[in-house]
Amino acid sequence: MSEPDSSLTVVRDVASLRRRVKVWHGEQRTVALVPTMGALHAGHMALVKRAKALADAVVVSIFVNPTQFGPNEDLDAYPRRDAEDWALLNAAGVDLIFMPDASVMYPDGFQTAVQVPAVSQGLCGTHRPGHFEGVATVVTKLLLQGLPDLALFGEKDFQQLAVIKRLVIDLDIPVDVLSVPTVRERDGLALSSRNAYLSEDERAIAPKFYATLSAAAAAIANGADIKACCAQAERAVLAAGFSSVDYIEVRVADSLLPLKVLGSEARILGAATLGQTRLIDNVKIPAQQAGG
Ligand code: PAF
């Protein structure tokens, strides 16, 4: 694969990444990292835009991390669009792409794993065993490889965000973790690289997931019973044409613990399968109104 025809530099090894970041830090410039698995869409570009607003130099990593995919998941099918990604990042004014091979991230003899057990429990953690260990390990590596001042993640992967915030605190990694709200299509569907798997018919059904979560969040905010709302939302998603619902649950936003105390900030989170595509999404429930 040839390198992009642009001023944007692509580095593939840790030493080159560190050299660049060291130069920027030597010039008192702040550095932001946006970790991605490529197949970039407007959601990723919102992270890049925010990164550019907050830092002097922006690094985007592109690495389809094998350890966060289960044996029956879509690692091989996961979209890879390097040329398009590079063009988008170049146009957005990104300073550096870090694009390591699997052998750079997981060299022979690699055996360390980062686990964030409580936050990884339940929700997607139940349905994707090992997923958050893979995410936590690769994100820890990326942060320690680049040592950026800030790192940005999307709120669509809300449990992932909570896992990363926790590990950064627990491991004293000197980086500010910032989140950016989910970017949606006009009909509400959360942008995801996996939306490319949806057929035309499925694409028409897909926004009903967000609409259903939003309706449940509004009802809960108005005092409706949380359990009943989640059960009703599951029925609505299945009636809309989804084949299965992994979960629809309300959790405390920061800790992702089950919501016990009325009035604490709450989030409704869900995962459901449409055809071959698993969609996840989440919606905030305003703290002062949460009830049920
Ligand atoms: O959200 C993603 O794209 C991935 O999980 C991440 C954070 C880049 C780790 O591989």
Side-chain angles (χ1 to χ4, degrees), residues 35-38 44 61 63-65 68 78 131 134-135 138-139 142 153 157 160 164:
T36 80
M37 298 206 299
H44 298 108
S61 64
F63 178 62
V64 182
N65 174 35
Q68 68 187 75
Y78 198 83
H131 170 68
V135 170
V138 81
V139 170
L142 289 165
F153 299 87
D157 298 295
Q160 164 174 290
I164 293 166

PDB file of all heavy atoms in Angstrom, residues 35-38 44 61 63-65 68 78 131 134-135 138-139 142 153 157 160 164, ligand 1:
ATOM      1  N   PRO A  35      -7.569   8.019  18.926  1.00  0.00           N
ATOM      2  CA  PRO A  35      -7.411   6.614  18.533  1.00  0.00           C
ATOM      3  C   PRO A  35      -8.610   6.153  17.696  1.00  0.00           C
ATOM      4  O   PRO A  35      -9.761   6.424  18.048  1.00  0.00           O
ATOM      5  CB  PRO A  35      -7.396   5.862  19.872  1.00  0.00           C
ATOM      6  CG  PRO A  35      -7.166   6.911  20.921  1.00  0.00           C
ATOM      7  CD  PRO A  35      -7.794   8.151  20.376  1.00  0.00           C
ATOM      8  N   THR A  36      -8.341   5.470  16.572  1.00  0.00           N
ATOM      9  CA  THR A  36      -9.431   4.960  15.723  1.00  0.00           C
ATOM     10  C   THR A  36      -9.037   3.592  15.176  1.00  0.00           C
ATOM     11  O   THR A  36      -7.879   3.183  15.245  1.00  0.00           O
ATOM     12  CB  THR A  36      -9.713   5.882  14.503  1.00  0.00           C
ATOM     13  OG1 THR A  36      -8.729   5.616  13.487  1.00  0.00           O
ATOM     14  CG2 THR A  36      -9.686   7.354  14.860  1.00  0.00           C
ATOM     15  N   MET A  37     -10.051   2.957  14.592  1.00  0.00           N
ATOM     16  CA  MET A  37      -9.767   1.728  13.838  1.00  0.00           C
ATOM     17  C   MET A  37      -9.976   1.996  12.346  1.00  0.00           C
ATOM     18  O   MET A  37     -10.222   1.071  11.571  1.00  0.00           O
ATOM     19  CB  MET A  37     -10.671   0.589  14.324  1.00  0.00           C
ATOM     20  CG  MET A  37     -10.423   0.239  15.802  1.00  0.00           C
ATOM     21  SD  MET A  37     -10.843  -1.459  16.246  1.00  0.00           S
ATOM     22  CE  MET A  37     -12.582  -1.493  15.882  1.00  0.00           C
ATOM     23  N   GLY A  38      -9.902   3.250  11.952  1.00  0.00           N
ATOM     24  CA  GLY A  38     -10.047   3.593  10.539  1.00  0.00           C
ATOM     25  C   GLY A  38     -11.499   3.548  10.088  1.00  0.00           C
ATOM     26  O   GLY A  38     -12.411   3.605  10.915  1.00  0.00           O
ATOM     27  N   HIS A  44     -15.802  10.320  13.703  1.00  0.00           N
ATOM     28  CA  HIS A  44     -14.350  10.444  13.939  1.00  0.00           C
ATOM     29  C   HIS A  44     -13.888  11.875  13.660  1.00  0.00           C
ATOM     30  O   HIS A  44     -13.039  12.429  14.376  1.00  0.00           O
ATOM     31  CB  HIS A  44     -13.568   9.506  13.013  1.00  0.00           C
ATOM     32  CG  HIS A  44     -13.850   8.050  13.212  1.00  0.00           C
ATOM     33  ND1 HIS A  44     -14.562   7.295  12.309  1.00  0.00           N
ATOM     34  CD2 HIS A  44     -13.509   7.213  14.216  1.00  0.00           C
ATOM     35  CE1 HIS A  44     -14.632   6.047  12.742  1.00  0.00           C
ATOM     36  NE2 HIS A  44     -14.012   5.970  13.901  1.00  0.00           N
ATOM     37  N   SER A  61      -4.456   7.723  15.411  1.00  0.00           N
ATOM     38  CA  SER A  61      -3.960   6.355  15.215  1.00  0.00           C
ATOM     39  C   SER A  61      -5.029   5.555  14.478  1.00  0.00           C
ATOM     40  O   SER A  61      -6.234   5.739  14.696  1.00  0.00           O
ATOM     41  CB  SER A  61      -3.598   5.694  16.549  1.00  0.00           C
ATOM     42  OG  SER A  61      -4.740   5.555  17.362  1.00  0.00           O
ATOM     43  N   PHE A  63      -5.679   1.616  13.803  1.00  0.00           N
ATOM     44  CA  PHE A  63      -5.245   0.238  14.062  1.00  0.00           C
ATOM     45  C   PHE A  63      -6.486  -0.600  14.347  1.00  0.00           C
ATOM     46  O   PHE A  63      -7.206  -0.341  15.316  1.00  0.00           O
ATOM     47  CB  PHE A  63      -4.281   0.193  15.262  1.00  0.00           C
ATOM     48  CG  PHE A  63      -3.843  -1.205  15.618  1.00  0.00           C
ATOM     49  CD1 PHE A  63      -3.134  -1.979  14.703  1.00  0.00           C
ATOM     50  CD2 PHE A  63      -4.152  -1.754  16.859  1.00  0.00           C
ATOM     51  CE1 PHE A  63      -2.738  -3.279  15.017  1.00  0.00           C
ATOM     52  CE2 PHE A  63      -3.757  -3.046  17.185  1.00  0.00           C
ATOM     53  CZ  PHE A  63      -3.045  -3.807  16.253  1.00  0.00           C
ATOM     54  N   VAL A  64      -6.748  -1.559  13.482  1.00  0.00           N
ATOM     55  CA  VAL A  64      -7.881  -2.472  13.714  1.00  0.00           C
ATOM     56  C   VAL A  64      -7.369  -3.525  14.700  1.00  0.00           C
ATOM     57  O   VAL A  64      -6.614  -4.429  14.331  1.00  0.00           O
ATOM     58  CB  VAL A  64      -8.378  -3.107  12.391  1.00  0.00           C
ATOM     59  CG1 VAL A  64      -9.586  -3.997  12.669  1.00  0.00           C
ATOM     60  CG2 VAL A  64      -8.754  -2.015  11.383  1.00  0.00           C
ATOM     61  N   ASN A  65      -7.772  -3.347  15.945  1.00  0.00           N
ATOM     62  CA  ASN A  65      -7.165  -4.091  17.047  1.00  0.00           C
ATOM     63  C   ASN A  65      -7.753  -5.495  17.168  1.00  0.00           C
ATOM     64  O   ASN A  65      -8.894  -5.649  17.623  1.00  0.00           O
ATOM     65  CB  ASN A  65      -7.417  -3.294  18.344  1.00  0.00           C
ATOM     66  CG  ASN A  65      -6.960  -4.046  19.570  1.00  0.00           C
ATOM     67  OD1 ASN A  65      -5.956  -4.759  19.518  1.00  0.00           O
ATOM     68  ND2 ASN A  65      -7.691  -3.902  20.668  1.00  0.00           N
ATOM     69  N   GLN A  68      -9.707  -7.007  20.456  1.00  0.00           N
ATOM     70  CA  GLN A  68     -11.017  -6.591  20.958  1.00  0.00           C
ATOM     71  C   GLN A  68     -12.168  -7.223  20.164  1.00  0.00           C
ATOM     72  O   GLN A  68     -13.323  -6.906  20.390  1.00  0.00           O
ATOM     73  CB  GLN A  68     -11.139  -5.062  20.996  1.00  0.00           C
ATOM     74  CG  GLN A  68     -11.169  -4.368  19.646  1.00  0.00           C
ATOM     75  CD  GLN A  68     -11.108  -2.848  19.799  1.00  0.00           C
ATOM     76  OE1 GLN A  68     -10.064  -2.273  20.094  1.00  0.00           O
ATOM     77  NE2 GLN A  68     -12.237  -2.173  19.618  1.00  0.00           N
ATOM     78  N   TYR A  78     -14.127  -6.181   8.889  1.00  0.00           N
ATOM     79  CA  TYR A  78     -14.158  -4.782   9.341  1.00  0.00           C
ATOM     80  C   TYR A  78     -13.621  -3.878   8.227  1.00  0.00           C
ATOM     81  O   TYR A  78     -12.552  -4.142   7.661  1.00  0.00           O
ATOM     82  CB  TYR A  78     -13.323  -4.610  10.621  1.00  0.00           C
ATOM     83  CG  TYR A  78     -13.672  -3.334  11.338  1.00  0.00           C
ATOM     84  CD1 TYR A  78     -14.762  -3.280  12.193  1.00  0.00           C
ATOM     85  CD2 TYR A  78     -12.953  -2.169  11.112  1.00  0.00           C
ATOM     86  CE1 TYR A  78     -15.116  -2.099  12.822  1.00  0.00           C
ATOM     87  CE2 TYR A  78     -13.303  -0.983  11.738  1.00  0.00           C
ATOM     88  CZ  TYR A  78     -14.381  -0.959  12.589  1.00  0.00           C
ATOM     89  OH  TYR A  78     -14.748   0.220  13.200  1.00  0.00           O
ATOM     90  N   HIS A 131     -13.819  -8.294  25.137  1.00  0.00           N
ATOM     91  CA  HIS A 131     -13.759  -7.078  24.304  1.00  0.00           C
ATOM     92  C   HIS A 131     -13.094  -5.921  25.044  1.00  0.00           C
ATOM     93  O   HIS A 131     -12.164  -5.280  24.523  1.00  0.00           O
ATOM     94  CB  HIS A 131     -15.175  -6.682  23.869  1.00  0.00           C
ATOM     95  CG  HIS A 131     -15.263  -5.341  23.225  1.00  0.00           C
ATOM     96  ND1 HIS A 131     -14.716  -5.078  21.991  1.00  0.00           N
ATOM     97  CD2 HIS A 131     -15.812  -4.166  23.644  1.00  0.00           C
ATOM     98  CE1 HIS A 131     -14.923  -3.813  21.665  1.00  0.00           C
ATOM     99  NE2 HIS A 131     -15.581  -3.233  22.654  1.00  0.00           N
ATOM    100  N   GLY A 134      -9.406  -6.190  25.555  1.00  0.00           N
ATOM    101  CA  GLY A 134      -8.685  -5.843  24.321  1.00  0.00           C
ATOM    102  C   GLY A 134      -8.614  -4.345  24.120  1.00  0.00           C
ATOM    103  O   GLY A 134      -7.562  -3.795  23.768  1.00  0.00           O
ATOM    104  N   VAL A 135      -9.743  -3.657  24.372  1.00  0.00           N
ATOM    105  CA  VAL A 135      -9.769  -2.192  24.223  1.00  0.00           C
ATOM    106  C   VAL A 135      -8.840  -1.552  25.256  1.00  0.00           C
ATOM    107  O   VAL A 135      -8.015  -0.680  24.921  1.00  0.00           O
ATOM    108  CB  VAL A 135     -11.208  -1.647  24.401  1.00  0.00           C
ATOM    109  CG1 VAL A 135     -11.199  -0.126  24.500  1.00  0.00           C
ATOM    110  CG2 VAL A 135     -12.104  -2.094  23.250  1.00  0.00           C
ATOM    111  N   VAL A 138      -5.113  -2.095  24.359  1.00  0.00           N
ATOM    112  CA  VAL A 138      -4.581  -1.353  23.215  1.00  0.00           C
ATOM    113  C   VAL A 138      -4.584   0.152  23.488  1.00  0.00           C
ATOM    114  O   VAL A 138      -3.649   0.862  23.098  1.00  0.00           O
ATOM    115  CB  VAL A 138      -5.338  -1.705  21.907  1.00  0.00           C
ATOM    116  CG1 VAL A 138      -6.650  -0.945  21.771  1.00  0.00           C
ATOM    117  CG2 VAL A 138      -4.465  -1.439  20.692  1.00  0.00           C
ATOM    118  N   VAL A 139      -5.601   0.645  24.193  1.00  0.00           N
ATOM    119  CA  VAL A 139      -5.640   2.091  24.473  1.00  0.00           C
ATOM    120  C   VAL A 139      -4.522   2.458  25.449  1.00  0.00           C
ATOM    121  O   VAL A 139      -3.859   3.488  25.293  1.00  0.00           O
ATOM    122  CB  VAL A 139      -7.032   2.527  24.981  1.00  0.00           C
ATOM    123  CG1 VAL A 139      -7.002   3.958  25.496  1.00  0.00           C
ATOM    124  CG2 VAL A 139      -8.062   2.405  23.861  1.00  0.00           C
ATOM    125  N   LEU A 142      -1.457   2.661  23.347  1.00  0.00           N
ATOM    126  CA  LEU A 142      -1.424   3.861  22.490  1.00  0.00           C
ATOM    127  C   LEU A 142      -1.091   5.109  23.311  1.00  0.00           C
ATOM    128  O   LEU A 142      -0.317   5.971  22.876  1.00  0.00           O
ATOM    129  CB  LEU A 142      -2.777   4.045  21.781  1.00  0.00           C
ATOM    130  CG  LEU A 142      -3.086   3.019  20.678  1.00  0.00           C
ATOM    131  CD1 LEU A 142      -4.564   3.067  20.299  1.00  0.00           C
ATOM    132  CD2 LEU A 142      -2.206   3.261  19.444  1.00  0.00           C
ATOM    133  N   PHE A 153     -12.392  10.507  22.699  1.00  0.00           N
ATOM    134  CA  PHE A 153     -13.188   9.317  22.382  1.00  0.00           C
ATOM    135  C   PHE A 153     -14.652   9.733  22.236  1.00  0.00           C
ATOM    136  O   PHE A 153     -15.105  10.694  22.865  1.00  0.00           O
ATOM    137  CB  PHE A 153     -13.067   8.278  23.506  1.00  0.00           C
ATOM    138  CG  PHE A 153     -11.652   7.808  23.724  1.00  0.00           C
ATOM    139  CD1 PHE A 153     -10.802   8.518  24.578  1.00  0.00           C
ATOM    140  CD2 PHE A 153     -11.151   6.703  23.059  1.00  0.00           C
ATOM    141  CE1 PHE A 153      -9.479   8.113  24.769  1.00  0.00           C
ATOM    142  CE2 PHE A 153      -9.832   6.293  23.242  1.00  0.00           C
ATOM    143  CZ  PHE A 153      -9.001   6.993  24.095  1.00  0.00           C
ATOM    144  N   ASP A 157     -19.669   4.870  22.134  1.00  0.00           N
ATOM    145  CA  ASP A 157     -19.136   3.704  22.850  1.00  0.00           C
ATOM    146  C   ASP A 157     -18.997   4.106  24.322  1.00  0.00           C
ATOM    147  O   ASP A 157     -17.887   4.313  24.823  1.00  0.00           O
ATOM    148  CB  ASP A 157     -17.791   3.293  22.251  1.00  0.00           C
ATOM    149  CG  ASP A 157     -17.940   2.878  20.804  1.00  0.00           C
ATOM    150  OD1 ASP A 157     -18.604   1.870  20.535  1.00  0.00           O
ATOM    151  OD2 ASP A 157     -17.424   3.587  19.923  1.00  0.00           O
ATOM    152  N   GLN A 160     -17.053   1.811  26.719  1.00  0.00           N
ATOM    153  CA  GLN A 160     -15.620   1.921  26.382  1.00  0.00           C
ATOM    154  C   GLN A 160     -15.025   3.189  27.003  1.00  0.00           C
ATOM    155  O   GLN A 160     -13.930   3.176  27.569  1.00  0.00           O
ATOM    156  CB  GLN A 160     -15.461   1.942  24.860  1.00  0.00           C
ATOM    157  CG  GLN A 160     -14.113   2.429  24.377  1.00  0.00           C
ATOM    158  CD  GLN A 160     -13.931   2.293  22.882  1.00  0.00           C
ATOM    159  OE1 GLN A 160     -13.808   1.186  22.381  1.00  0.00           O
ATOM    160  NE2 GLN A 160     -13.916   3.390  22.148  1.00  0.00           N
ATOM    161  N   ILE A 164     -11.999   3.467  29.714  1.00  0.00           N
ATOM    162  CA  ILE A 164     -10.760   4.217  29.454  1.00  0.00           C
ATOM    163  C   ILE A 164     -10.538   5.277  30.548  1.00  0.00           C
ATOM    164  O   ILE A 164      -9.423   5.450  31.046  1.00  0.00           O
ATOM    165  CB  ILE A 164     -10.808   4.839  28.038  1.00  0.00           C
ATOM    166  CG1 ILE A 164     -10.769   3.720  26.995  1.00  0.00           C
ATOM    167  CG2 ILE A 164      -9.660   5.827  27.833  1.00  0.00           C
ATOM    168  CD1 ILE A 164     -11.148   4.143  25.590  1.00  0.00           C
TER     169      ILE A 164
HETATM  170  O1  PAF B   1     -13.485   2.982  19.389  1.00  0.00           O
HETATM  171  C1  PAF B   1     -12.608   2.465  18.676  1.00  0.00           C
HETATM  172  O2  PAF B   1     -12.497   2.747  17.482  1.00  0.00           O
HETATM  173  C2  PAF B   1     -11.655   1.444  19.286  1.00  0.00           C
HETATM  174  O3  PAF B   1     -12.298   0.673  20.238  1.00  0.00           O
HETATM  175  C3  PAF B   1     -10.377   2.092  19.848  1.00  0.00           C
HETATM  176  C4  PAF B   1     -10.677   3.034  20.995  1.00  0.00           C
HETATM  177  C5  PAF B   1      -9.640   2.825  18.747  1.00  0.00           C
HETATM  178  C6  PAF B   1      -9.449   0.991  20.392  1.00  0.00           C
HETATM  179  O4  PAF B   1      -9.112   0.076  19.406  1.00  0.00           O
END
